[in-house]
Amino acid sequence: MNLFNNKFTARAVTAGYVFIIYLTTGLMGSVQVWLRQRGFLTVASGLLLVAGAGVAVYFIVARLGRRKPKHLVILAASAAAYFVLSVKFAKTPSDRIHLLEYSLLAALAYYTVKFNVKGWPAYPGAWLLATMAGLMDEAIQRFLPNRAADMRDFLVNAISAAVALLVVRLVIEENDEVET
């Protein structure tokens, strides 16, 4: 599957997404404080995660037609992995947004990297890009009011990117040849 028509579009969309992550880092701290003060933070982050998961499942199952039992098992296993991540590592609702944020970034990075890197090396390359973007996100948060750098968030970013790339490889790109 080709998500982008050309290398320029892939790079522009992926870079734009990373830019939006960085640009909204300070704003999200203020939004989180506002939502927390009104008692809506848990509901808002939960709705965002459910909506993101719903869009992903719709895209994979309905639009791409990935309905084989093995696809559904892989999707269920990835949902279980995200659930464990959200319970064990992403303790606050705002931390759980990282699951969605860096999963999408990993997928975008993969479809960008595969223009230049053929076969299986595109996956670790995409993971490295998403993980480094997460590390920079945490570094930026260190200097912002209402935000704090947290290695736990970095780990959630890295693991959620890996889970997303497994779904891309095993479900979305299953028919593509992976060169060894």
Side-chain angles (χ1 to χ4, degrees):
M1 180 182 119
N2 289 326
L3 186 62
F4 301 109
N5 292 331
N6 59 57
K7 194 181 331 184
F8 175 78
T9 303
R11 288 177 179 169
V13 169
T14 303
Y17 183 73
V18 171
F19 180 72
I20 289 169
I21 289 171
Y22 295 160
L23 185 66
T24 60
T25 298
L27 174 65
M28 286 299 108
S30 299
V31 169
Q32 289 172 29
V33 168
W34 186 86
L35 288 169
R36 186 176 295 117
Q37 290 171 342
R38 285 151 184 79
F40 295 124
L41 183 59
T42 301
V43 172
S45 66
L47 287 174
L48 185 60
L49 287 174
V50 168
V55 167
V57 168
Y58 170 77
F59 177 74
I60 293 168
V61 174
R63 301 292 292 171
L64 294 178
R66 303 298 198 262
R67 297 183 183 102
K68 293 178 186 174
K70 71 177 182 177
H71 298 144
L72 301 178
V73 167
I74 292 166
L75 290 173
S78 66
Y82 285 125
F83 178 76
V84 169
L85 279 173
S86 72
V87 171
K88 295 284 186 182
F89 297 103
K91 297 289 186 185
T92 66
S94 57
D95 291 345
R96 293 182 184 131
I97 300 305
H98 288 257
L99 298 171
L100 179 63
E101 193 173 46
Y102 285 89
S103 294
L104 178 57
L105 178 56
L108 290 173
Y110 168 73
Y111 287 105
T112 300
V113 168
K114 85 177 214 174
F115 276 101
N116 292 78
V117 179
K118 302 300 179 203
W120 69 266
Y123 292 97
W127 180 82
L128 188 61
L129 283 173
T131 302
M132 291 299 101
L135 185 61
M136 290 301 299
D137 186 19
E138 294 307 313
I140 291 169
Q141 289 180 37
R142 187 171 180 203
F143 301 103
L144 297 174
N146 298 328
R147 298 304 301 257
D150 188 350
M151 285 309 293
R152 184 183 62 216
D153 283 354
F154 171 71
L155 290 173
V156 169
N157 299 346
I159 295 169
S160 62
V163 171
L165 289 168
L166 282 171
V167 169
V168 167
R169 173 63 193 116
L170 298 174
V171 178
I172 298 172
E173 296 286 316
E174 78 164 342
N175 296 328
D176 289 0
E177 283 293 318
V178 176
E179 300 168 11
T180 55

